[in-house]
Amino acid sequence: MSDKNLFDQEDYLKARADEYIWQKRTDANISRQRFLQILGTMVGGIAIGGLAKPAAAYSQTNPTLKTKGSKILKPLPPGYISHSQGTLEMNWETMYGRGYLVPNDWFYVHNRHTPPPFNPSTWRLQIEGTGVSTPCQFTYDEIMAMPSISVTSAIECAANGRRFFEEAYNRPLSGTRWRLGAIGVAEWTGVPLSALLERAGLKSTAKDVLVEGADLDSLDAKGTKPSKFSSVVPIAKALADNSLIVYAMNGEPLPPDHGQPCRAIFPGWAGNANVKWIERIEVSETPIYTQWVLKQMVLTGSDYPAVSPYEGKLITYQNVKSAFELAWPATLAAGHHLLRGRSWSGKGKIVRVEVSLDGGKTWQLARLREPNLPFAWVRWDIDWNPVAGEYSLQARATDNLGNTQSNTVPWNDFGLLYGGVVTHPVTVQG
Ligand SMILES: Nc1nc2c(c(=O)[nH]1)N[C@H]1C(S)=C(S)[C@@H](COP(=O)(O)O)O[C@H]1N2
Ligand SMILES: [Mo]
């Protein structure tokens, strides 16, 4: 394939852009009217019955697929990878050749608890703290009535790829053994966090913002006082145009597993920053140090000296990764294949993807497809004509800031932010 094909491909890009728009309309961004219709049934049902019906309806959709004690309410699509009661990994093989967005039912889940019931007539979002002059609270209807915006963004667990640390260092880790499926891209709709903070009289001296969910975090075992799951972002991130409090995902009301009624979206930041089932926001004039942030959101190990008061190096933005849209391990027939994959960066937009079909000996540029949005991902593909044999496929992406993927990455004790090149095993049968 020549450079010309790679970089001068107007028609190709146009076709892809059209496909994207079509995809958004059909399987994702259903009309605003339809959204309100769904919500209307939902809220009406609750108002009459006084019960949190949406969650119940979800859990009954496909009871046979629910594992005992599961903390996930949505039905499990075929081929999904379950690691524990509260985790569900996206299956890359099912994404082969699909549109830009991950459908809600296929989106990975990382739940510490079963989604709490939601009652729109009693739910409130509290905004308080020393960084606001007029603490206030919002009802669900009030948030729904504010001007909304939509942002297409990835959410990715900071531990995505953890299993590759274990394999590279031949050393076990605790926590979910994700491969690369703890990521998804969706279109999120809601209100800018800045609009809510301004209504609460945001002070110019505000420094940190804590967003808190309705569920408890998992630190109580250490004897610390149990606290609600939360995350902290600096005021600059909280006020970014694309930092939102969202109530819709791909044009549907936020599903219980993904944070109903409202969750935070901080594009580019590690998954846990995107707190679900939110109930309280605290704005502070002094830095907020939670146990979670000090002890868990850090890289620790001999390569990462602690930066006091944190117990390691604080995690903020996600790094660069790539995945093939293939089963793990994959078995393919000999002959022509259009290999596809996706690459992403928490810090910007992917500008180059190289693929190796021989375990890293030689590399070629993959064809990037539109759209290619920052804080989301880019789809790419490459032609392959293998004969029977065992293959090690690799992909290496680079973002617009020059961040890329190296062959080896330093160890950290929680197995967070794996950013190395991953070797995907493929058997080709004759
Ligand atoms: N309240 C609350 N918010 C939460 C979590 C949680 O357990 N409770 N998990 C976090 C983590 S670790 C991740 S990776 C993302 C996962 O979002 P998803 O389940 O919608 O994919 O949600 C984050 N928000
Ligand atoms: Mo996570």
Side-chain angles (χ1 to χ4, degrees), residues 192-322:
L193 175 53
S194 61
L196 298 175
L197 299 186
E198 269 152 32
R199 291 233 191 151
L202 181 65
K203 295 184 191 169
S204 61
T205 47
K207 195 169 217 112
D208 273 353
V209 176
L210 174 135
V211 182
E212 190 179 85
D215 56 327
L216 293 178
D217 75 18
S218 41
L219 278 179
D220 25 342
K222 294 187 179 152
T224 9
K225 190 165 147 278
S227 53
K228 300 275 180 71
F229 186 89
S230 67
S231 72
V232 179
V233 294
I235 190 73
K237 182 65 180 168
L239 297 181
D241 287 348
N242 60 0
S243 291
L244 307 182
I245 297 303
V246 303
Y247 47 77
M249 177 179 184
N250 291 331
E252 288 171 30
L254 206 53
D257 286 312
H258 297 290
Q260 185 191 55
C262 289
R263 84 179 298 173
I265 296 291
F266 294 112
W269 277 49
N272 63 283
N274 306 283
V275 179
K276 305 192 264 197
W277 317 305
I278 60 171
E279 288 184 343
R280 193 175 76 90
I281 294 175
E282 183 184 333
V283 186
S284 173
E285 289 181 291
T286 53
I288 303 177
Y289 297 119
T290 60
Q291 293 301 301
W292 170 266
V293 170
L294 293 171
K295 294 177 190 294
Q296 311 258 305
M297 283 322 296
V298 286
L299 303 175
T300 61
S302 50
D303 287 287
Y304 297 103
V307 182
S308 181
Y310 303 99
E311 291 191 0
K313 184 184 171 208
L314 183 67
I315 289 176
T316 56
Y317 287 92
Q318 290 291 114
N319 52 4
V320 179
K321 293 191 194 67
S322 302

Side-chain angles (χ1 to χ4, degrees), residues 391-409:
Y391 292 86
S392 293
L393 305 190
Q394 300 183 337
R396 177 170 71 200
T398 305
D399 72 12
N400 58 328
L401 300 173
N403 300 301
T404 187
Q405 301 181 254
S406 50
N407 284 332
T408 56
V409 289

Side-chain angles (χ1 to χ4, degrees), residues 331-392:
T331 305
L332 299 174
H336 177 257
H337 291 277
L338 185 64
L339 281 177
R340 295 181 194 260
R342 302 179 193 225
S343 298
W344 59 95
S345 165
K347 293 177 183 149
K349 171 173 163 168
I350 298 297
V351 293
R352 186 170 67 246
V353 179
E354 298 153 284
V355 172
S356 175
L357 306 167
D358 53 15
K361 287 193 209 83
T362 60
W363 295 85
Q364 41 188 312
L365 285 176
R367 192 163 35 212
L368 305 189
R369 312 167 86 211
E370 287 293 308
N372 181 1
L373 306 175
F375 309 114
W377 53 24
V378 66
R379 294 174 295 169
W380 44 261
D381 50 57
I382 197 160
D383 293 291
W384 193 32
N385 281 292
V387 295
E390 300 294 323
Y391 292 86
S392 293

Side-chain angles (χ1 to χ4, degrees), residues 108 110 112 156-159 178 271-272:
Y108 89 97
H110 193 176
R112 277 160 190 73
E156 181 185 19
C157 185
W178 307 107
N272 63 283

